[in-house]
Amino acid sequence: MKRNVVGAHYGLTTWIAQRATAVLMAIYTIIFLVAVLVVQPGTADAWRAIFANGFMKFVTFLFFLSLFYHAWIGIRDLWMDYVKPTSIRLSLHVLTIAVLIGYAGWASKILWSL
Amino acid sequence: MTELAIKKKQRPKNLDLKTIRLPLPGKVSILHRLSGVGLFLCLPLILALFQWSLSDGGFECVQAVVANPIGKLVLLGLIWAYLHHFCAGIRFLLLDWHIGIDLPSARKSAGLVLIVSLTLTAVIGGTLLW
Ligand code: HEM
């Protein structure tokens, strides 16, 4: 059998993960909007208080992790759709993962330096 | 099998982007992809603004960005991209669950996504930026 290297042989799990992260982000979006609506953060302190709250910090971090995983799958699909040469495609995959892992570190730093 | 392959080859094909008339659900779908890629490319900007807004004295700086007309435009674009991706994404999730999968409903929900995301952009963008 002739096999193509696509950098992904786990279609269904990834497909489900993209949907699961989408649902998590959608729920967070509602939580965030409600928090902003309730607190009406017009000052730096009020804005900071939102994310200093333990629950919000936790779900915000969860949102970021979902986002990065979701974006990885989405951008990976994009490379698979438009970039055919295997070496370039795999390089772009690695670059995308590296950037997103960096963002995850960055997001945790932002939240936990509060 | 060979017969099938030949038949397949003879099907009319039009891949000329300039003459393809994309139906409404197709437009919503491509905007979903574009908004997803746009948001991905803007992640550094979004994280930087978030970090800034929470840092000492940074909140006022971000308020200055919001007050700037170009800053306003960029942020409004990001808010629209997020809300369109959000609404179109929820539509895709419902379609995945075979809700509203027939053509008339799918057309209607595509139009609804465009209208709802633009309305939400006006309301949320208007509230946060003005
Ligand atoms: C509440 C938030 C979100 C929801 C409900 C959502 C939903 C979805 C869904 C259902 C898909 C799959 C579409 C398909 O297979 O055709 C998708 C794809 C994608 N999403 Fe999201 N998403 C959200 C947030 C984000 C964010 C913040 C980003 C940006 C970093 C993003 C980037 C992408 C990308 C790049 C794709 C791939 C697009 C494509 O293949 O056409 N998403 N999203």
Side-chain angles (χ1 to χ4, degrees):
Chain A
M1 191 169 80
K2 189 180 177 303
R3 279 172 156 272
N4 289 326
V5 183
V6 291
H9 43 86
Y10 23 68
L12 184 63
T13 320
T14 334
W15 187 89
I16 291 172
Q18 192 175 36
R19 270 75 194 160
T21 51
V23 170
L24 283 175
M25 285 190 289
I27 295 171
Y28 177 81
T29 305
I30 308 291
I31 296 177
F32 173 76
L33 287 177
V34 169
V36 169
L37 216 65
V38 170
V39 177
Q40 306 257 347
T43 64
D45 286 340
W47 174 244
R48 241 190 246 179
I50 294 181
F51 300 101
N53 172 286
F55 172 76
M56 276 306 279
K57 190 179 284 195
F58 175 70
V59 289
T60 304
F61 190 56
L62 208 62
F63 165 79
F64 276 122
L65 290 186
S66 302
L67 196 166
F68 300 140
Y69 192 18
H70 179 92
W72 153 239
I73 300 164
I75 298 297
R76 188 209 67 169
D77 288 351
L78 209 80
W79 299 138
M80 291 200 293
D81 279 353
Y82 303 128
V83 181
K84 298 303 169 196
T86 304
S87 59
I88 300 177
R89 182 194 279 178
L90 289 184
S91 309
L92 287 169
H93 283 187
V94 172
L95 191 73
T96 309
I97 295 179
V99 163
L100 286 170
I101 290 176
Y103 292 162
W106 188 4
S108 73
K109 180 177 178 284
I110 296 173
L111 286 168
W112 270 275
S113 53
L114 276 175
Chain B
M1 188 61 220
T2 39
E3 212 173 296
L4 204 76
I6 291 164
K7 269 209 184 117
K8 212 173 159 187
K9 271 202 177 134
Q10 286 171 340
R11 273 192 346 216
K13 225 194 275 184
N14 175 21
L15 293 176
D16 181 3
L17 283 179
K18 278 173 294 188
T19 65
I20 292 177
R21 199 190 61 84
L22 200 60
L24 196 60
K27 288 189 183 117
V28 167
S29 180
I30 192 66
L31 282 176
H32 181 255
R33 174 161 278 200
L34 288 174
S35 57
V37 174
L39 286 167
F40 171 73
L41 292 176
C42 289
L43 280 177
L45 177 70
I46 294 165
L47 282 166
L49 279 174
F50 185 51
Q51 180 169 41
W52 220 16
S53 74
L54 291 167
S55 67
D56 282 324
F59 190 77
E60 288 72 22
C61 299
V62 174
Q63 279 179 326
V65 172
V66 172
N68 180 296
I70 296 172
K72 250 193 195 36
L73 202 68
V74 171
L75 289 173
L76 197 64
L78 282 175
I79 290 173
W80 173 80
Y82 188 87
L83 290 171
H84 177 84
H85 193 91
F86 173 80
C87 293
I90 288 173
R91 174 173 174 273
F92 280 141
L93 291 175
L94 293 175
L95 291 175
D96 285 343
W97 281 99
H98 289 245
I99 297 170
I101 199 91
D102 61 296
L103 195 53
S105 322
R107 288 219 170 109
K108 246 185 252 161
S109 61
L112 202 64
V113 162
L114 282 180
I115 293 167
V116 170
S117 58
L118 283 171
T119 310
L120 282 176
T121 304
V123 172
I124 294 175
T127 316
L128 293 179
L129 303 178
W130 272 275

